[in-house]
Amino acid sequence: MSATDDLRVAFHDYRRPEAAAGVYTLTAEHRLTKDGTRVDSPAIPATEQRFEIRAVRFVLDPSSVHARYPAEGAVGDFGRTLPHITLNRSILPWERLLKARAVPGQAPWLALMVFRAGELPDDPEGLGLSTTRTVAELRRPPAGTLGPDLSDIGITPAIEAGRCQSIDVPAALFTALVPREEELHYLAHVRDVSPRPRKRAEDGEVLAKGQYAVLAANRFPGRPGTYTAHLVSLEGFEESLEPGRLPAGTNAVRLCALHSWTFTSDPGGTRAPAALLSDLVAPARTDRENLALRLRPGGSVASRSAPEAERYTERRLHLGYVPLPYRLLSGETTYGWYRGPFLPVMAAATRDFARDAPQTTADHALIYEPEHGLFDISYAAAWTLGRTLALSDPGYGEEITRARRELANTAATMMAVATEPTLAATATATAPGDLAGRALRELADSGFAAGLREALARPLAPPGQAPAPAARRTRLTREAGRAVLADEPRAAALQAAAERHTRTIPAWLDELTLLRRVPFNYLVPHPAMLPPESIRLFRIDANWTEALLAGARDVGVHTSLDAFVDRALTAGVDRRRARTTASRPAAGLLIRSDLVRAWPEFDLLATAAGRSIGELRRDHPAPDTLLILLNAMPDEIVIREPGQGIHFGLDANGATGDNSVINLRDHRPGTGLGHPLRRDYPADGGLLTRHLRRSTGDDAPEVLALRGDRGLVPALAAALDPGLDDLAPGEFALQLVNAPVEQRLTLDPAPCQETAR
């Protein structure tokens, strides 16, 4: 079976060991024969060697458990789910031979039994409790309690004194729940997984590469309440699995419990993932624009005959704006239009904040509409927010201020050198630090000593004669100073200095590019834009992001020289970012739903022209809200029903009453193996009505009958192929796999383009 192109899962019936656990005797003897007659007299005595193959028996290391479903402490609608446990050691359920006559060598010695709270005397509240006993107490319980019939071979006094966990199951309950001898092998199989790497879900199984043993229960936790799943050993109970086989006077059966966990089945505890997904995308069935992130006031769309103000407001809301209170510099209060970086349309080109000169106020980012006398405050708010975030981080503020001071000092030194004729004549057009290197090279020159002696031997100037005037230092104008710093070698030196003094700034700006630290109300300025149980798609306004970054970069600009060398600082930071930064986000989506609260981790696949799109950020701004940023605009998004790896159970066909069915899958080897056949068994529902063990009482457990007159396995086989009368364990497990529901969104490849502003 292949769940996705990058996930392959194979089901195998069982894994038989070369030699099962137990005590073995090797006998070696020599025989010398001639014409079939033994001639070695006296015979060489035979030699015997006893050894034991040990395996898990009474205690299971918790690290052997790979996953459980439902998860420990989970609350949900598990009424049509068969709980299961996945073990890291794929051979473990078959390492011991169970004396089963129906399927020799295939029956596992382990079984997963599920108990409802109140059914076990030692655990009335369903807390998953078991009793610690010695192996001797497990094997020889008091009268009225049946323990496992284990051979003494291999059980030493030390093993008997060892401790294990055990449960006492009422005899009638044991008979009602325990798998029959001919059913055991259907409830265990081997899973071979070859997946893509992924992080662990918070409450579920990771489909990691390897082989695993899987044991499923045969009981549905259909009635609301707390349940405990116990992985128990059936070794020594081979004669007690069929109804009526318990010895007379048996009141309870003592089982060795190797692993236990609890969960709660509550149909009202969570909503079904399939229904939640369907509700999320329902608005798109009438118009895909309903999934765009914008404010939708009540009422009909304004007609052409509507007042201009009404049509203007509607156009603004359609572009993703919301009206917010705005106070003018004069003190008057009005309103301005604001929208965050998440847009329902492609943003129009505006001023290039990335190449803009550094600013000290946000006024440069305001956009005025003289026709209506209103301001677009979006980019001004982004610039102010970037500046606020930068100033609130002491580390960032200190580093960028120090970098600006170092650059300003370096630039001042360069201009001073350029105005000094002597230094200007000798200095190379490089950084001032190279002047010291030039002086050291002159001192080391072989002719330096002779020149120094000649200079010292010259006569002094006659008395009264003034020394020759030194070369006058010129004063640079602002334009000339900028020309000096714009010289290519000096500009390169300034940029190199900027790189040296901005160690952590590039990473800080990278995080800001992903809109981290940005308050959620800046991203979604009105709660009605993301109502409960909704999904919203958006493009990212690169202008808004650049205004945000500009506000952070403009910190520490105090002089005109700071402003002039800012280009070198920006270039140095950008060079460091280019070596480490990933692609910038271009699109994304927001989901606000109980789906996120119940299943924080689930698969979402975005593609463009059939190619996968990279996910740059996935965060939970609130327990019920998921934010995902992508590096490109997708044309298709697939959301998969969350699930913990693979689990087993029944599906629903929408009929009334008992609507339980199994969605049949192709069981024939080939390319279609595991794919849905698009037909159900039974076609009209009612699987539980037909294939549960016969029982009496309203509180009887819902235990699946696999063989016999109500057996599910032969009925499934006949539904797949009228010529079949049985299924292998792997084939049976394949039919019971609960396939995740998918919701597929196809996006418009030609989105609305905002006009230039």
Side-chain angles (χ1 to χ4, degrees):
M1 171 192 173
S2 177
T4 64
D5 292 340
D6 48 9
L7 173 62
R8 298 190 63 83
V9 181
F11 295 89
H12 305 285
D13 298 339
Y14 62 96
R15 187 177 178 191
R16 180 182 297 167
E18 295 294 333
V23 178
Y24 293 82
T25 301
L26 287 178
T27 302
E29 63 177 355
H30 294 269
R31 288 178 177 268
L32 182 59
T33 61
K34 181 180 180 181
D35 298 331
T37 302
R38 189 167 182 175
V39 297
D40 54 338
S41 181
I44 300 175
T47 300
E48 291 187 352
Q49 178 67 48
R50 290 168 60 88
F51 66 92
E52 180 182 359
I53 297 178
R54 294 185 176 180
V56 171
R57 196 171 197 182
F58 302 112
V59 177
L60 180 66
D61 191 312
S63 64
S64 299
V65 177
H66 178 70
R68 301 159 298 186
Y69 186 84
E72 170 72 41
V75 179
D77 186 5
F78 304 121
R80 293 297 174 261
T81 298
L82 291 177
H84 79 268
I85 186 170
T86 306
L87 304 174
N88 288 315
R89 186 172 173 81
S90 62
I91 204 173
L92 195 151
W94 298 275
E95 282 186 309
R96 295 191 169 278
L97 290 181
L98 198 67
K99 301 173 185 176
R101 296 175 294 274
V103 279
Q106 295 186 29
W109 63 282
L110 297 171
L112 188 64
M113 299 183 68
V114 177
F115 303 93
R116 193 180 174 204
E119 291 181 341
L120 295 179
D122 295 338
D123 187 18
E125 296 182 5
L127 301 178
L129 303 178
S130 55
T131 304
T132 303
R133 295 185 173 95
T134 65
V135 174
E137 292 173 326
L138 172 70
R139 297 178 62 199
R140 291 181 286 276
T145 301
L146 177 66
D149 181 14
L150 302 177
S151 170
D152 289 332
I153 298 177
I155 300 182
T156 64
I159 293 178
E160 281 226 316
R163 295 183 175 275
C164 63
Q165 300 300 313
S166 62
I167 55 174
D168 287 348
V169 184
L173 183 63
F174 174 83
T175 301
L177 296 183
V178 72
R180 307 296 182 236
E181 181 181 329
E182 60 180 352
E183 296 177 343
L184 275 173
H185 68 297
Y186 293 115
L187 298 174
H189 65 273
V190 174
R191 181 186 297 169
D192 195 345
V193 182
S194 301
R196 60 185 167 93
R198 60 169 295 181
K199 63 183 181 180
R200 176 176 292 274
E202 293 187 8
D203 60 349
E205 174 178 355
V206 174
L207 291 175
K209 180 178 178 61
Q211 283 192 341
Y212 305 91
V214 182
L215 292 110
N218 61 350
R219 179 182 186 177
F220 294 103
R223 293 177 175 78
T226 301
Y227 289 80
T228 300
H230 287 283
L231 180 66
V232 301
S233 168
L234 296 182
E235 186 183 18
F237 293 103
E238 293 89 337
E239 303 298 329
S240 306
L241 302 180
E242 302 300 322
R245 293 285 186 87
L246 292 177
T250 300
N251 299 318
V253 178
R254 180 164 293 178
L255 299 172
C256 177
L258 298 169
H259 190 80
S260 307
W261 79 95
T262 62
F263 60 91
T264 301
S265 182
D266 181 7
T270 57
R271 296 175 60 186
L276 287 170
L277 285 174
S278 179
D279 291 345
L280 287 178
V281 301
R285 297 190 180 102
T286 55
D287 186 358
R288 282 177 293 191
E289 282 294 312
N290 290 333
L291 299 187
L293 187 67
R294 58 168 63 97
L295 194 61
R296 296 172 175 80
S300 59
V301 178
S303 63
R304 292 187 177 182
S305 59
E308 169 59 23
E310 183 177 340
R311 288 187 283 118
Y312 163 74
T313 301
E314 185 177 88
R315 288 196 302 270
R316 278 287 177 172
L317 296 179
H318 183 79
L319 294 176
Y321 286 94
V322 296
L324 293 179
Y326 178 59
R327 184 184 296 273
L328 301 175
L329 290 177
S330 59
E332 299 170 287
T333 300
T334 178
Y335 76 91
W337 291 109
Y338 171 81
R339 67 180 180 185
F342 300 162
L343 308 185
V345 296
M346 293 182 63
T350 183
R351 64 185 302 158
D352 190 350
F353 291 98
R355 297 180 178 273
D356 207 354
Q359 304 290 333
T360 55
T361 70
D363 292 348
H364 70 289
L366 287 171
I367 299 175
Y368 182 63
E369 290 188 356
E371 182 180 355
H372 300 92
L374 295 173
F375 283 96
D376 180 345
I377 61 176
S378 305
Y379 298 140
W383 187 93
T384 303
L385 175 63
R387 187 177 183 86
T388 303
L389 294 175
L391 292 174
S392 66
D393 188 327
Y396 176 86
E398 180 183 356
E399 183 170 341
I400 196 169
T401 302
R402 185 187 301 113
R404 290 195 183 279
R405 297 282 66 75
E406 293 292 340
L407 279 179
N409 292 337
T410 301
T413 303
M414 286 181 176
M415 289 190 293
V417 168
T419 61
E420 177 60 50
T422 303
L423 294 177
T426 59
T428 58
T430 56
D434 285 349
L435 295 176
R438 174 67 177 271
L440 290 175
R441 289 193 295 272
E442 290 181 355
L443 287 173
D445 187 84
S446 58
F448 179 77
L452 181 61
R453 286 196 302 269
E454 180 181 350
L456 293 174
R458 292 175 186 167
L460 298 175
Q465 181 178 349
R472 295 181 59 85
R473 183 172 181 176
T474 60
R475 182 171 183 177
L476 293 179
T477 63
R478 176 176 297 183
E479 291 73 15
R482 291 182 177 180
V484 168
L485 297 181
D487 181 68
E488 185 174 346
R490 292 189 179 93
L494 283 174
Q495 185 172 324
E499 289 189 62
R500 289 195 304 272
H501 295 292
T502 54
R503 299 291 183 182
T504 64
I505 290 177
W508 195 93
L509 294 176
D510 284 345
E511 290 290 292
L512 197 60
T513 302
L514 295 177
L515 304 176
R516 301 190 191 276
R517 304 184 181 91
V518 176
F520 191 71
N521 61 325
Y522 277 80
L523 305 177
V524 182
H526 197 287
M529 300 176 74
L530 187 67
E533 299 306 321
S534 65
I535 179 173
R536 293 293 181 261
L537 310 175
F538 55 82
R539 294 175 179 270
I540 293 182
D541 184 0
N543 302 323
W544 198 98
T545 305
E546 288 299 340
L548 178 74
L549 295 174
R553 288 195 303 262
D554 290 351
V555 169
V557 177
H558 301 297
T559 66
S560 60
L561 185 57
D562 289 337
F564 185 72
V565 299
D566 178 76
R567 182 169 299 179
L569 178 67
T570 302
V573 170
D574 288 346
R575 280 187 59 179
R576 292 182 64 88
R577 292 183 67 193
R579 294 195 291 265
T580 59
T581 188
S583 56
R584 296 192 175 192
L589 69 153
L590 282 158
I591 299 177
R592 183 183 177 192
S593 169
D594 284 343
L595 182 79
V596 179
R597 188 187 301 273
W599 294 276
E601 297 289 340
F602 55 86
D603 285 339
L604 186 144
L605 308 176
T607 57
R611 294 186 177 182
S612 179
I613 290 177
E615 189 176 298
L616 301 181
R617 178 185 173 191
R618 180 183 285 224
D619 271 334
H620 292 82
D624 65 342
T625 305
L626 175 66
L627 167 64
I628 296 179
L629 299 184
L630 306 170
N631 63 2
M633 186 66 193
D635 55 26
E636 186 175 73
I637 294 176
V638 177
I639 305 175
R640 287 206 177 99
E641 173 191 359
Q644 290 72 22
I646 294 176
H647 54 272
F648 308 98
L650 307 180
D651 301 288
N653 67 352
T656 57
D658 180 6
N659 62 352
S660 53
V661 297
I662 291 178
N663 301 139
L664 297 177
R665 296 175 176 272
D666 194 344
H667 70 290
R668 297 166 298 180
T671 57
L673 179 63
H675 288 266
L677 295 175
R678 302 191 183 280
R679 52 192 176 93
D680 299 335
Y681 173 80
D684 56 350
L687 186 143
L688 291 177
T689 305
R690 305 182 189 188
H691 297 293
L692 292 182
R693 289 183 182 176
R694 298 185 185 276
S695 56
T696 58
D698 296 335
D699 203 31
E702 295 180 323
V703 181
L704 197 59
L706 302 181
R707 300 291 299 182
D709 60 339
R710 300 172 68 86
L712 173 62
V713 175
L716 264 182
L720 290 168
D721 186 343
L724 288 178
D725 59 3
D726 196 8
L727 294 175
E731 294 173 328
F732 179 64
L734 181 63
Q735 300 305 318
L736 287 182
V737 167
N738 278 147
V741 175
E742 287 187 349
Q743 288 294 341
R744 192 176 300 267
L745 292 173
T746 303
L747 309 180
D748 190 349
C752 177
Q753 170 71 53
E754 184 183 23
T755 58
R757 290 177 292 149

